[in-house]
Amino acid sequence: MWLLLVLALAQAQPGYEYAVVPGAAQYDGTPSPAFARRLLAALELYREGRVRRIAVAGGRRPGDRTSEGEAGCTFLRARGVPRDRLLCETESRSTYENLRNLRPHLRGRVLIVTDAPHLRRALFLARRLGLEAEGHPVPGRYGLGYWLKEWGLYLLYRLGVFPRASAGSPNTPGGAPGTGL
């Protein structure tokens, strides 16, 4: 009896309004393999009806002609996602800025879609910014260095070393400019 009730409640949960894909490298408009994995995971969630829209974030590095957000949205449009189902942020340079810049446009529950090592930090930042966020880890072969870097950054944010992000104020400018944090 309890099992049936739990299953019924689980099925009654509404989907997520957005899959949020933080930026990663792009090369002249083509998403890097890591970015493409994130985008394809979000696309699968969209096609399954688990998310209604996809938000892609990321700016340009010096010398780039295309932003990560533009490259990601172009990639998804080419795979059948209608323009009105996409939110494309093109100015941010860090995970914190990705989420901060998207925040005013996001409504409802969001699903952060990112690499497994990156997910804990991204969720921490999203929740500090007031987003109702859960996570979807993108599987992959991630080296120990990546895991250690992400855990270290997560701990630094938790300890308040990056106070603008750890303070949780949605109106506070900036992350750590130029650091990709």
Side-chain angles (χ1 to χ4, degrees), residues 2-88:
W2 285 105
L3 179 60
L4 291 175
L5 179 60
V6 169
L7 288 173
L9 288 174
Q11 289 179 345
Q13 294 295 318
Y16 296 90
E17 192 61 32
Y18 281 95
V20 175
V21 182
Q26 61 83 30
Y27 307 109
D28 201 24
T30 301
S32 67
F35 195 22
R37 281 193 304 272
R38 293 178 188 184
L39 294 164
L40 289 170
L43 178 62
E44 183 177 336
L45 293 165
Y46 173 79
R47 287 180 174 163
E48 291 172 354
R50 294 174 58 194
V51 300
R52 291 180 186 87
R53 296 176 175 84
I54 303 173
V56 183
R60 301 174 203 269
R61 295 176 61 93
D64 283 352
R65 294 186 305 165
T66 305
S67 71
E68 294 165 1
E70 292 166 324
C73 285
T74 299
F75 181 91
L76 293 169
R77 279 195 307 271
R79 284 154 183 80
V81 180
R83 194 177 297 269
D84 68 344
R85 298 277 117 189
L86 293 170
L87 173 59
C88 309

Side-chain angles (χ1 to χ4, degrees), residues 88-108:
C88 309
E89 188 281 328
T90 62
E91 301 297 322
S92 58
R93 298 285 309 270
S94 68
T95 301
Y96 175 71
E97 289 180 10
N98 289 168
L99 297 166
R100 184 198 67 202
N101 292 357
L102 286 172
R103 184 183 179 276
H105 308 285
L106 300 176
R107 302 287 180 263

